[in-house]
Amino acid sequence: MHRHTCFTLIFTFTMLLMMNACNSPSGQQTTGTPTNGQAVPEYAIVIHGGAGTITKANMTPEKEKAYTEALNKALDTGEEVLKNGGTALEAVEKTLMYLEDNPLFNAGKGAVLTNSETCELDASIMDGSDQNAGAVAGVKHVKNPIRAAIAVMKNSPHVMMAGTGADQFALEQGLDTVSNEYFFTERRLESIRKARAREEKTGMTGRRHDEKFGTVGCVALDKNGNLAAGTSTGGMTNKRWGRVGDSPIIGAGTYADNATCGISCTGHGEYFIRYTVAADVAHRMAYLGESVEEAANFVVNEKLDEKGGSGGLIAMDAKGNVAMPFNTEGMYRGYARPGERVVKIYKD
Amino acid sequence: MHRHTCFTLIFTFTMLLMMNACNSPSGQQTTGTPTNGQAVPEYAIVIHGGAGTITKANMTPEKEKAYTEALNKALDTGEEVLKNGGTALEAVEKTLMYLEDNPLFNAGKGAVLTNSETCELDASIMDGSDQNAGAVAGVKHVKNPIRAAIAVMKNSPHVMMAGTGADQFALEQGLDTVSNEYFFTERRLESIRKARAREEKTGMTGRRHDEKFGTVGCVALDKNGNLAAGTSTGGMTNKRWGRVGDSPIIGAGTYADNATCGISCTGHGEYFIRYTVAADVAHRMAYLGESVEEAANFVVNEKLDEKGGSGGLIAMDAKGNVAMPFNTEGMYRGYARPGERVVKIYKD
């Protein structure tokens, strides 16, 4: 009798453990779990402005203040849309337009320059409610690349457009277009000239170890419970040969599905493409039952880190749980929910 | 005593059932399971030449013979490499070069034309041994786009290049370049002119229901147990605005990881991007423990089909198990293992 009771207990326990490993959506351990008493917040928004060697040591108080203010203004912009019943898509659009227009970030105005001293911009958007998506790569004249990505999603049968064709589409859509010089800033012109001088001197074409991965991204959850995610970037300083990073690649730099989460990545794009980072986070949630934080942390801090892939991501599930892991020194990031606001730059 | 024995048995049984659902790599049900007595074949190769409304009714015996011969020659090409100890990458390269050079298929010579009567070609490659990858989108002058994708993977720090920059890179790499007219065939010129005339008449810019999704793809397994996968295409007839489909997108049209499988897709590319089809098959194997056939069939015949995404894919795991599901009327396809050869066009 005793032996069988014991067996039964062991089997029951083992089974429960397995059920947990196999299926548990254990969202309770998530960093950004809503703490204001609501099970699911009315709305939520999370943003990033790039990851890299961002340390207190290489930051002035003025610069830190400028970035903190910009991140807060970006969150204000998105919150305003969501509070007033706007959709997650609209919140992502407006928030990313603000970040694209702000020359502090590597997207839109202030984007890094290519080897031939032009700006070539990438952006993508995904709607978590129907998994519709849009992306542009290598555009040179759309003032706000995120709007071009949204136009591709909404007003074309396509998901992705590249190069002059994508600019042509944006023009046909009546989006604001600008000369390529509009995107230039003194700071980025200096960077590209230094990078090219270094390259001529050393013969090395690789990236500098201390380079920042400039990208901006946003994930929003609206009052209808829908998620949307978007990413925008100028790519890599000194890029050439029409290099495309992960930002305009659905499943690599951006992904959204109400059933799992919305994601926007920033980092060494080649790794994010090879390891389909955004899709991997969502699939781990769907198939392993991991929470958004478990999945995001594992992919960034275990899988990518082990392979040498530097960067980070923001992710949010349809309950407003937020994850913002990164394996670099810092990441410009923040999130907002009703009555709650977090903005951070460095590691805690 | 009896009651406890009974409980124990029930729990054991339930537990075994759950373990199976959670982890079983039940490769035994796979269509293309090696049947020649070997556990893992010495080598294996699987190819596709596009999916769509390919029926006996709209095929002449001459056309059928030409396609069957071409598929067999493509398999011969890849088998020759693998038999002689070549790598999976080399086999994919040579096989896809043959299919690109053959004007029957929508890749390389014989590619479909864009709205502006040019050929804009996409290709990608992934190495399952280290998950390194390369891709080009919208190239107009590389004779064999798959070779450009391989050069991106091997000889650049990047994964993806697009447009004129990608052509420039191919030129710098010493790859054969051609005038854009090299890719033209009478048949495709006729198609684009008909498509444009139809468009002018009806004002409709959408695809015809009976269109074929022309793409070529190959997955190979070499004697070292390494997988590689590649895809090449001319894209969609009458495409414009620099449209990019799934073929050059790692995780959408192409994916390879020795731990799961190699995959190449063909179909309505926009759906394959939105549902990260190639990555999804691999992740279902990794996280749900599905066999390559279970995962591939589910994604193509359940998930994609339900969403209206037409097409198919080829997939192979590192044991040489093959899956070739499609939800269209037909798919040019075939595979070869030592002493075994299958070539098919229609549904069984």
PDB file of all heavy atoms in Angstrom, chain B residues 32 39 59 64 75 141 287 297 313 341:
ATOM      1  N   GLY B  32       9.396  10.852 -46.677  1.00  0.00           N
ATOM      2  CA  GLY B  32      10.672  10.539 -47.307  1.00  0.00           C
ATOM      3  C   GLY B  32      11.641   9.879 -46.358  1.00  0.00           C
ATOM      4  O   GLY B  32      12.822  10.167 -46.396  1.00  0.00           O
ATOM      5  N   ALA B  39      20.175   3.789 -41.407  1.00  0.00           N
ATOM      6  CA  ALA B  39      19.559   4.696 -40.442  1.00  0.00           C
ATOM      7  C   ALA B  39      19.671   6.126 -40.963  1.00  0.00           C
ATOM      8  O   ALA B  39      18.704   6.855 -41.038  1.00  0.00           O
ATOM      9  CB  ALA B  39      20.246   4.570 -39.101  1.00  0.00           C
ATOM     10  N   MET B  59      -1.026  21.021 -68.884  1.00  0.00           N
ATOM     11  CA  MET B  59       0.348  20.598 -69.201  1.00  0.00           C
ATOM     12  C   MET B  59       0.329  19.732 -70.458  1.00  0.00           C
ATOM     13  O   MET B  59      -0.503  18.833 -70.578  1.00  0.00           O
ATOM     14  CB  MET B  59       0.883  19.787 -68.012  1.00  0.00           C
ATOM     15  CG  MET B  59       2.332  19.399 -68.093  1.00  0.00           C
ATOM     16  SD  MET B  59       3.442  20.743 -67.664  1.00  0.00           S
ATOM     17  CE  MET B  59       3.581  20.488 -65.908  1.00  0.00           C
ATOM     18  N   GLU B  64       5.673  18.380 -69.720  1.00  0.00           N
ATOM     19  CA  GLU B  64       5.862  17.510 -68.563  1.00  0.00           C
ATOM     20  C   GLU B  64       7.218  16.806 -68.635  1.00  0.00           C
ATOM     21  O   GLU B  64       7.945  16.725 -67.649  1.00  0.00           O
ATOM     22  CB  GLU B  64       4.727  16.476 -68.505  1.00  0.00           C
ATOM     23  CG  GLU B  64       4.789  15.627 -67.254  1.00  0.00           C
ATOM     24  CD  GLU B  64       3.603  14.669 -67.138  1.00  0.00           C
ATOM     25  OE1 GLU B  64       2.477  15.071 -67.474  1.00  0.00           O
ATOM     26  OE2 GLU B  64       3.837  13.523 -66.708  1.00  0.00           O
ATOM     27  N   LEU B  75      18.882  17.065 -59.821  1.00  0.00           N
ATOM     28  CA  LEU B  75      19.239  16.097 -58.774  1.00  0.00           C
ATOM     29  C   LEU B  75      20.570  15.409 -59.107  1.00  0.00           C
ATOM     30  O   LEU B  75      21.407  15.204 -58.223  1.00  0.00           O
ATOM     31  CB  LEU B  75      18.127  15.067 -58.590  1.00  0.00           C
ATOM     32  CG  LEU B  75      16.856  15.582 -57.892  1.00  0.00           C
ATOM     33  CD1 LEU B  75      15.744  14.535 -57.947  1.00  0.00           C
ATOM     34  CD2 LEU B  75      17.137  15.971 -56.432  1.00  0.00           C
ATOM     35  N   HIS B 141      22.234  41.993 -62.519  1.00  0.00           N
ATOM     36  CA  HIS B 141      23.348  41.667 -63.410  1.00  0.00           C
ATOM     37  C   HIS B 141      24.185  40.458 -63.021  1.00  0.00           C
ATOM     38  O   HIS B 141      25.072  40.082 -63.769  1.00  0.00           O
ATOM     39  CB  HIS B 141      24.243  42.901 -63.562  1.00  0.00           C
ATOM     40  CG  HIS B 141      23.513  44.067 -64.170  1.00  0.00           C
ATOM     41  ND1 HIS B 141      23.152  44.095 -65.489  1.00  0.00           N
ATOM     42  CD2 HIS B 141      23.038  45.209 -63.606  1.00  0.00           C
ATOM     43  CE1 HIS B 141      22.500  45.232 -65.733  1.00  0.00           C
ATOM     44  NE2 HIS B 141      22.403  45.918 -64.609  1.00  0.00           N
ATOM     45  N   TYR B 287      11.070  22.973 -30.497  1.00  0.00           N
ATOM     46  CA  TYR B 287      10.366  23.237 -29.237  1.00  0.00           C
ATOM     47  C   TYR B 287       9.191  22.293 -28.978  1.00  0.00           C
ATOM     48  O   TYR B 287       8.818  22.078 -27.827  1.00  0.00           O
ATOM     49  CB  TYR B 287       9.882  24.695 -29.207  1.00  0.00           C
ATOM     50  CG  TYR B 287      11.007  25.696 -29.384  1.00  0.00           C
ATOM     51  CD1 TYR B 287      10.816  26.886 -30.077  1.00  0.00           C
ATOM     52  CD2 TYR B 287      12.278  25.450 -28.852  1.00  0.00           C
ATOM     53  CE1 TYR B 287      11.856  27.804 -30.239  1.00  0.00           C
ATOM     54  CE2 TYR B 287      13.316  26.355 -29.014  1.00  0.00           C
ATOM     55  CZ  TYR B 287      13.095  27.527 -29.703  1.00  0.00           C
ATOM     56  OH  TYR B 287      14.116  28.426 -29.858  1.00  0.00           O
ATOM     57  N   ASN B 297       4.183  19.794 -42.665  1.00  0.00           N
ATOM     58  CA  ASN B 297       2.779  19.611 -43.053  1.00  0.00           C
ATOM     59  C   ASN B 297       1.855  20.543 -42.289  1.00  0.00           C
ATOM     60  O   ASN B 297       0.948  21.138 -42.863  1.00  0.00           O
ATOM     61  CB  ASN B 297       2.330  18.162 -42.795  1.00  0.00           C
ATOM     62  CG  ASN B 297       2.764  17.247 -43.912  1.00  0.00           C
ATOM     63  OD1 ASN B 297       3.110  17.705 -45.007  1.00  0.00           O
ATOM     64  ND2 ASN B 297       2.768  15.956 -43.633  1.00  0.00           N
ATOM     65  N   LEU B 313       6.762  23.900 -49.639  1.00  0.00           N
ATOM     66  CA  LEU B 313       8.165  23.969 -49.236  1.00  0.00           C
ATOM     67  C   LEU B 313       8.800  22.588 -49.289  1.00  0.00           C
ATOM     68  O   LEU B 313       8.098  21.575 -49.362  1.00  0.00           O
ATOM     69  CB  LEU B 313       8.300  24.574 -47.833  1.00  0.00           C
ATOM     70  CG  LEU B 313       7.645  23.857 -46.642  1.00  0.00           C
ATOM     71  CD1 LEU B 313       8.491  22.711 -46.090  1.00  0.00           C
ATOM     72  CD2 LEU B 313       7.398  24.860 -45.517  1.00  0.00           C
ATOM     73  N   ARG B 341      15.395   7.622 -55.949  1.00  0.00           N
ATOM     74  CA  ARG B 341      15.139   8.854 -56.702  1.00  0.00           C
ATOM     75  C   ARG B 341      13.635   9.049 -56.870  1.00  0.00           C
ATOM     76  O   ARG B 341      12.937   8.149 -57.345  1.00  0.00           O
ATOM     77  CB  ARG B 341      15.817   8.753 -58.072  1.00  0.00           C
ATOM     78  CG  ARG B 341      15.455   9.833 -59.095  1.00  0.00           C
ATOM     79  CD  ARG B 341      16.116  11.162 -58.794  1.00  0.00           C
ATOM     80  NE  ARG B 341      17.557  11.146 -58.828  1.00  0.00           N
ATOM     81  CZ  ARG B 341      18.302  11.655 -59.827  1.00  0.00           C
ATOM     82  NH1 ARG B 341      17.730  12.193 -60.884  1.00  0.00           N
ATOM     83  NH2 ARG B 341      19.625  11.615 -59.762  1.00  0.00           N
TER      84      ARG B 341
END
